[in-house]
Amino acid sequence: MSSKQTLIRWDKQYLWHPFTQMKEWFEEEIIIVERGEGIYLVDIDGKHYIDGISSVWTNVHGHRRQEIDDALKGQIDKISHSTLLGYSNVPAIELAKKLVEITPEGLNRVFYSDNGSTAVEVALKIAHQFWQHQGEAHRDTFVSIDYAYHGDTIGAVSVGKIDLFHKIFQSLLLPSISVPTPYVYRSEVSDDPVEVRDACLYKLECALQSGADRISAIIAEPIVQAAGGMLIAPDGFLRGVADLSRKYGILLILDEVMTGLGRTGKMWACEHEGVAPDILCTAKGLTAGYLPLAATVTTDRVHDAFLGEYHEMKTFFHGHTFTGNQLGCVAALANLGIFERENVIEKIQPKITYFKNCLQTFYNLKHVGDIRTIGMVGAVELVQNKTTKAEFSSQLKVGIRVCKAALKHGVILRPLVNTIVIMPPLSITIAELDQLIDAVYSAIREVLEA
Ligand SMILES: *Cc1c(COP(=O)(O)O)cnc(C)c1O
């Protein structure tokens, strides 16, 4: 390995980091990860950090899980990649069957791609083409929800509703309609979750009525809007969205890219409200956070609309080169094997309660406005003033400073503006959770109450 100083120099000379102001990066001390061990990331100096955000919401059972490592090594000795275009492969078939078994009732077809954005892109294009085959080509518009994040490709950005990330690309985007999100803490309607929920559902219904036959699908992140700030919808909101999509005869796309694979305390977030979409997108935790692999899972009704003679051109002309990659698929199979053998979902329930209770203590801090938590997802929204809920100016970089302070306590985090996200791998122990929570608590106090 090159020396630390060389690596730092090369990083700053050659790399362009995602979602990063590079001018600042050049001046910063940077952490270069070399290894992982369970919930820890280890840098090139051998310093251990708790992976407090599961390497951006991907890692599930910790780093270097024996079963997944072994499955990958076994697959490498057979083959690493061959195409799914016109040919098949063993792990892709086995994983498709498994995904159909574990996704909600009615989802019976698996289309693979590489990442969350492509899983969404595929869902949008399937929905669009579906209506053409139904003789309803006028349905060319999507409905999405304020604060939504569905990825960074242009289709996904079109249904994204976070100004900070999306506004600059406005002129490139597909038609889409947005409706309010039930962000209870900052709602102008009420501070009662039920009233906020019903007001948002009412607005959604109005949009569906006025958009009428132009709307193709509603796309939503079930229960948790992740990049929007880990906004947790009031009970019944997702159910309401699903009911309205049925009532108006449009497709429901659920983006489970962050929420899937146990993150919210159930395998899929839509299980919390017994909702089954027409199309479900999964990525991030699908390979337990090991490799880029995504799946877009559809119902038979959706899939069968594409059946026809070749010359009818009903084929879904879409595919990525690495679609169904064997290494990704065996990692996902090994991941699901662990869920099954170790009853992961059942086993994490006490940990979830513990996590939730610990987070409540953050309300003692002077600048903690809202705490949102579900499953192993935790978010702490920092505000300038608790009474008025006034936000910190972005110039203060409060979120970034808290995460920097957490590093000194041995924890790696990444904020969403002024919201601190805590999302450890599901495999974290109670003792490690204590360590993580204490570190974040101290970091907030040091930055904002010193
Ligand atoms: C991360 C994320 C995506 C995008 O996934 P990538 O793999 O980064 O393309 C899409 N939807 C949701 C809900 C996400 O959290």
Side-chain angles (χ1 to χ4, degrees), residues 57 115-118 120 149-152 221 226-227 255-258 283-284:
W57 323 340
N115 58 68
S117 307
T118 55
V120 166
Y149 176 80
H150 296 292
D152 292 334
E221 294 158 272
D255 176 353
E256 292 259 13
V257 169
M258 185 287 281
K284 289 199 170 99

Side-chain angles (χ1 to χ4, degrees), residues 185-186 369 381 383-392:
Y185 179 65
R186 294 202 175 275
E381 183 171 337
V383 291
Q384 173 112 60
N385 183 318
K386 264 194 194 190
T387 319
T388 63
K389 302 183 183 175
E391 295 178 52
F392 280 111

Side-chain angles (χ1 to χ4, degrees), residues 5 7-17 20-31 397 404:
Q5 287 319 314
L7 287 169
I8 292 172
R9 200 175 69 242
W10 286 350
D11 177 291
K12 296 191 177 185
Q13 187 170 354
Y14 299 117
L15 264 178
W16 190 342
H17 287 265
T20 300
Q21 176 44 259
M22 292 303 288
K23 182 168 175 291
E24 282 181 349
W25 180 262
F26 297 148
E27 276 129 45
E28 254 163 49
E29 257 183 69
I30 62 175
I31 288 175
K397 294 197 275 188
K404 283 227 173 93

Side-chain angles (χ1 to χ4, degrees), residues 20-235:
T20 300
Q21 176 44 259
M22 292 303 288
K23 182 168 175 291
E24 282 181 349
W25 180 262
F26 297 148
E27 276 129 45
E28 254 163 49
E29 257 183 69
I30 62 175
I31 288 175
I32 304 176
V33 172
E34 192 193 2
R35 296 183 294 120
E37 265 174 42
I39 66 150
Y40 291 94
L41 297 169
V42 185
D43 74 5
I44 48 175
D45 295 325
K47 192 167 179 340
H48 285 54
Y49 299 91
I50 294 180
D51 188 353
I53 46 159
S54 299
S55 294
V56 189
W57 323 340
T58 55
N59 193 277
V60 179
H61 309 294
H63 298 280
R64 280 180 38 224
R65 261 302 289 247
Q66 193 72 50
E67 297 91 322
I68 307 173
D69 292 4
D70 289 346
L72 281 168
K73 288 171 187 165
Q75 183 60 41
I76 283 173
D77 285 337
K78 294 178 189 145
I79 185 171
S80 292
H81 180 74
S82 65
T83 187
L84 220 59
L85 276 69
Y87 305 88
S88 202
N89 79 57
V90 179
I93 296 169
E94 290 175 348
L95 178 61
K97 174 173 185 287
K98 198 91 219 162
L99 282 173
V100 166
E101 285 166 6
I102 65 164
T103 46
E105 186 73 31
L107 293 167
N108 292 338
R109 280 283 162 182
V110 175
F111 192 99
Y112 290 116
S113 63
D114 316 336
N115 58 68
S117 307
T118 55
V120 166
E121 215 68 41
V122 166
L124 298 175
K125 284 178 73 178
I126 286 178
H128 184 82
Q129 189 173 338
F130 169 83
W131 288 116
Q132 316 241 341
H133 296 325
Q134 303 296 95
E136 298 195 42
H138 43 80
R139 294 192 182 276
D140 64 352
T141 304
F142 299 99
V143 173
S144 63
I145 299 178
D146 284 345
Y147 290 87
Y149 176 80
H150 296 292
D152 292 334
T153 52
I154 292 300
V157 169
S158 302
V159 288
K161 303 293 166 187
I162 302 173
D163 279 354
L164 176 66
F165 305 158
H166 301 139
K167 206 171 174 179
I168 202 159
F169 301 111
Q170 201 68 50
S171 63
L172 299 178
L173 306 182
L174 315 171
S176 86
I177 296 168
S178 66
V179 294
T181 188
Y183 184 178
V184 180
Y185 179 65
R186 294 202 175 275
S187 173
E188 285 161 12
V189 175
S190 161
D191 52 15
D192 173 20
V194 172
E195 282 177 23
V196 178
R197 175 196 74 194
D198 291 346
C200 289
L201 288 172
Y202 173 76
K203 286 275 174 60
L204 172 60
E205 180 149 23
C206 295
L208 297 182
Q209 270 167 0
S210 63
D213 60 358
R214 286 197 49 220
I215 296 170
S216 151
I218 304 177
I219 178 163
E221 294 158 272
I223 315 282
V224 190
Q225 289 188 292
M230 299 298 158
L231 310 182
I232 298 174
D235 288 347

